[in-house]
Amino acid sequence: MASMLASSPPHEPQHAHARLIAIAGPLRGEVLPLTAGGTAIGRGTSNSISVSDIALSRSHCTIVFVDGAWRIRDSHSSNGTFVNGDRVAERTLADRDRIDLGESTFIFVQGAGSAEVPSVDELPSSVVARLDVTATAYAGGEARTMPGAQAQQRLRALLALSTAVNALASDEALYERILDVLCEALPADQAAIVAVDRSGEAHVAAVRQCNGTPAVALSRQVFTQAMHDRTGLLTREASSAPHQSIVCVPLVARERSIAAIHLTKSQPPPFDEEHLQFATAVANVSAPALDNVRHVAWLREERVRLQRELGQNQLLVGHSAAMEHVYAMVAKVARSDATVLITGETGTGKELVARSLHGNSARAQRPFVAVNCAALTDTLLETELFGHERGAFTGAHTQKKGKLEVADGGTLFLDEIGELPAALQSKLLRALQLHEFDRVGGTRPIRVDIRVIAATNRDLAADVAAGRFRSDLYHRLNVIDIHVPPLRERRDDIPMLARFFVDRFARTAARQVRGIAPDALAYLMSYEWPGNVRELENTIERAIVLGWSDHIMATDLPEAVLEAAAPPGSERSRFHETVRDAKVRAIVEAFRDARGSYTETARLLGLNANYLHRLIKNLQLKQVLERER
């Protein structure tokens, strides 16, 4: 924030000792000598004094010694050159003049005196009046008896402001409403709101030229004093600006100064105490509203932050070491836009990991679009991904947006990416590399901003080696790999997952189910779960629907679970033991008749070959059958 401070009486020019002392900005604390031939100041490196400040023009101004005096000349800069608060095109400098350029402030010093950096307290404005922020006449009943039509008009404006500010949802809208009232009710040339952020840094949040007058710099000294003392100030500037007056009033909420109103008037008559009274009343009305708006914004940020922190736990269940590694990877990767390849067996919860990545990312409020690459034919999958134009093919009666376009700004999840047809792999690769694609039948490229997460239960590296999957697409997708472990490798999570599903499906079925019986949980713990978490979920849902007790009993579990090896310390029921023995005998006899052929065994038993292999695994017959060969 630029400053406005008065100057001291001029001294005789002494170009041999003239210098600038930087008291604010990137060069703060430096003493910079001036040369009589000219000292150029600006952002460009070719200047005599180069200042790394984006508020400065490349060539901002020049200080030269002409006709026995030092003069500063603005070089048609964008943000202006200010001397003692006045914007100037050219001006003669006097000793101790203050020069404001963007965020930098310099003191011009000439003569052989000390080059010590001056304190702002050495250049004070004259304080005419102070007013406690709670003491304004508008705060009590005496406002109704204030004389004059103008005072009554200001009172009505204040009442209208008090009604309006509580309906505003952003600090920017609140600032604009405050400036509306100040410019309409007070004879200010310039009105500004200076806000203080959470770190304590002050910045000009809003400014308006009320009467079309040129912009002037704000007084850092007056602002600092008003904020520190929590007191409204009315000041008159020194001789360099004899008619300039300032009203500065802090907005105080919960005993903290959170912003300030800064009003400047450059023409006579100057501000008076009644103006200070009204500005203080505006500050009193506005401070709680600003505090509330900021608090609501903070609560929104906290809600988003907590949702991100809890998001993965809302979707993923488990506390095993294997799942903790997954959680850690999600936490590290979610905030980036890197492409992620999620690997793991069918049913392990790969899509839930993808949703956790999205929910904990900066794209959480944007779409999450999932596509199963194995569920559609090649032609349908192409239009599903990329969309099509009207008339692109028979039956394309309307334009259709593809999933890439629908996911713009959000996340595209490509499930079973290993099943993507070869013809589409190159088109997808181009879309990932260029962030653009063409609809089917289209001629105009469509740009999208998406994050891609892919998942597969296949060994893509082996598919690449066998030529079934493009190596360049594989490497483009496999920037970060997250492996989701099978349920058999995270058995410690089975009780937690089972209880999670019990609670969910009991509510859906409107049943009171208190838990899982110990023998039933033992079976769940000993089963291999070839279908992983999805199979466990289906098992619990079946038990809830078919069960009758307030606990899930072993008899509520499917045969595949009960037919597996009995858990340690438990006994099978006679019925299930008999059924299991009968299945074992039937498979072994058929295997002998088939002379060791699994395909022929399945045919003899009238079973699907995949189901036969699953039975053999559940009944733990693999070694027994190998001995029969």
Side-chain angles (χ1 to χ4, degrees), residues 551-587:
H551 282 72
I552 290 180
M553 312 302 291
T555 53
D556 299 328
L557 302 178
E559 290 185 3
V561 176
L562 298 175
E563 287 169 356
S570 66
E571 296 182 1
R572 286 194 186 90
S573 68
R574 182 176 179 181
F575 171 77
H576 285 103
E577 187 69 32
T578 302
V579 171
R580 183 181 186 279
D581 289 345
K583 289 182 177 181
V584 169
R585 286 196 301 272
I587 292 172

Side-chain angles (χ1 to χ4, degrees), residues 543-554:
I544 293 289
V545 172
L546 300 180
W548 53 269
S549 172
D550 61 354
H551 282 72
I552 290 180
M553 312 302 291

Side-chain angles (χ1 to χ4, degrees), residues 130-304:
R130 298 175 183 268
L131 182 64
D132 186 278
V133 291
T134 61
T136 175
Y138 289 86
E142 58 186 297
R144 292 191 295 270
T145 63
M146 292 176 62
Q150 192 174 58
Q152 295 302 309
Q153 180 185 2
R154 289 172 183 162
L155 178 58
R156 287 193 295 271
L158 189 62
L159 292 175
L161 176 66
S162 65
T163 302
V165 292
N166 293 320
L168 299 176
S170 69
D171 48 2
E172 292 85 359
L174 179 58
Y175 296 148
E176 291 302 315
R177 189 70 185 92
I178 295 171
L179 294 183
D180 287 343
V181 172
L182 292 171
C183 285
E184 290 172 6
L186 295 180
D189 294 331
Q190 178 176 279
I193 306 293
V194 184
V196 178
D197 60 24
R198 294 176 189 169
S199 65
E201 291 293 323
H203 65 281
V204 178
V207 64
R208 185 179 301 174
Q209 307 311 119
C210 301
N211 300 318
T213 54
V216 295
L218 278 63
S219 172
R220 186 193 303 271
Q221 177 197 356
V222 176
F223 165 77
T224 302
Q225 187 173 351
M227 295 289 282
H228 179 269
D229 297 342
R230 296 205 291 266
T231 302
L233 298 177
L234 168 59
T235 72
R236 305 275 169 76
E237 291 299 289
S239 58
S240 64
H243 300 299
Q244 183 165 284
S245 57
I246 295 173
V247 166
C248 188
V249 183
L251 277 66
V252 179
R254 292 184 284 180
E255 299 185 352
R256 294 185 303 108
S257 297
I258 58 176
I261 293 169
H262 188 291
L263 305 173
T264 307
K265 192 173 188 296
S266 301
Q267 303 298 323
F271 285 131
D272 57 32
E273 292 191 33
E274 202 282 323
H275 299 140
L276 176 61
Q277 290 272 0
F278 181 76
T280 304
V282 171
N284 285 343
V285 169
S286 306
L290 177 59
D291 188 51
N292 287 338
V293 166
R294 288 184 175 183
H295 188 61
V296 169
W298 176 82
L299 288 175
R300 289 196 186 102
E301 292 174 1
E302 282 295 290
R303 182 186 66 182
V304 172

